[in-house]
Amino acid sequence: MTEARAIVFPQQSVFPQQSPDMRPEDRTGCPWHDVKSMLRDVGLRPTRQRMALGWILFGKGDRHLTAEMLYEEATRAKVPVSLATIYNTLHQFTEAGLLRQVAVDGSKAYFDTNTSTHHHFFVEGEDDLFDIPGADVIIGKSPTPPEGYEVARVDVVVRLRKKG
Ligand SMILES: [Zn+2]
């Protein structure tokens, strides 16, 4: 009977609950086919546009995209969608906890498919945002929040430029 025990894997239904630290692909095991259940899990109706944008966003592993970048990809993928819809969808996904917004400049927001706690490098001039590996960030003593508040999250964006 040890053989039988050795091939028992946890079923996907073990992970129906949404943990903020769990990425969609961890949750479903297969991002490409599970956008629909991912949307349903967070209470968003799986409309065709949300499905299409969800596939583009979550089908390729961890990504950092601006609304404009997603718009370009959607257009290339022949998904008929306006930039306004892209913005709305990105914000809905963010509110639902599927994406994390990373503000780099006042005008520029990146949307991260990895919603777990991590920090970013940003290459100035190249508009490239990528993860700082591991917990490789030095943050001094956490500031004491004002009375009645707690620290929700610490976002660190380390800005880089080419040496020269
Ligand atoms: Zn990231």
Side-chain angles (χ1 to χ4, degrees):
M1 291 311 125
T2 42
E3 273 168 60
R5 224 183 299 146
I7 52 161
V8 171
F9 292 102
Q11 295 300 305
Q12 291 191 355
S13 56
V14 173
F15 309 107
Q17 75 277 30
Q18 297 140 33
S19 152
D21 283 346
M22 218 183 241
R23 284 171 274 164
E25 61 265 34
D26 295 339
R27 217 182 287 148
T28 62
C30 180
W32 192 253
H33 292 104
D34 279 317
V35 173
K36 189 183 251 175
S37 52
M38 200 178 81
L39 292 173
R40 288 225 170 102
D41 281 354
V42 296
L44 288 173
R45 207 160 55 85
T47 62
R48 250 190 307 153
Q49 277 179 331
R50 282 182 188 146
M51 293 281 291
L53 295 177
W55 281 333
I56 295 173
L57 280 165
F58 302 112
K60 299 173 191 172
D62 288 344
R63 314 190 64 196
H64 306 89
L65 289 169
T66 63
E68 288 76 14
M69 286 157 79
L70 181 58
Y71 180 65
E72 262 178 47
E73 285 199 24
T75 307
R76 248 183 286 140
K78 309 245 187 304
V79 176
V81 67
S82 68
L83 190 55
T85 302
I86 299 256
Y87 273 109
N88 288 338
T89 307
L90 285 171
H91 286 290
Q92 286 163 354
F93 283 10
T94 303
E95 262 167 47
L98 298 175
L99 293 172
R100 193 183 131 186
Q101 195 173 340
V102 183
V104 173
D105 285 317
S107 59
K108 189 162 284 165
Y110 281 81
F111 293 86
D112 194 341
T113 59
N114 178 358
T115 55
S116 70
T117 304
H118 64 284
H119 305 289
H120 294 95
F121 281 127
F122 178 71
V123 186
E124 290 183 342
E126 293 176 20
D127 289 359
D128 194 14
L129 184 81
F130 56 98
D131 292 346
I132 295 177
D136 236 12
V137 176
I138 307 135
I139 309 168
K141 187 174 132 332
S142 234
T144 309
E147 185 71 36
Y149 292 89
E150 61 184 2
V151 175
R153 193 173 82 194
V154 177
D155 279 337
V156 175
V157 176
V158 177
R159 304 174 74 98
L160 306 175
R161 62 171 174 240
K162 283 257 164 66
K163 284 194 205 173

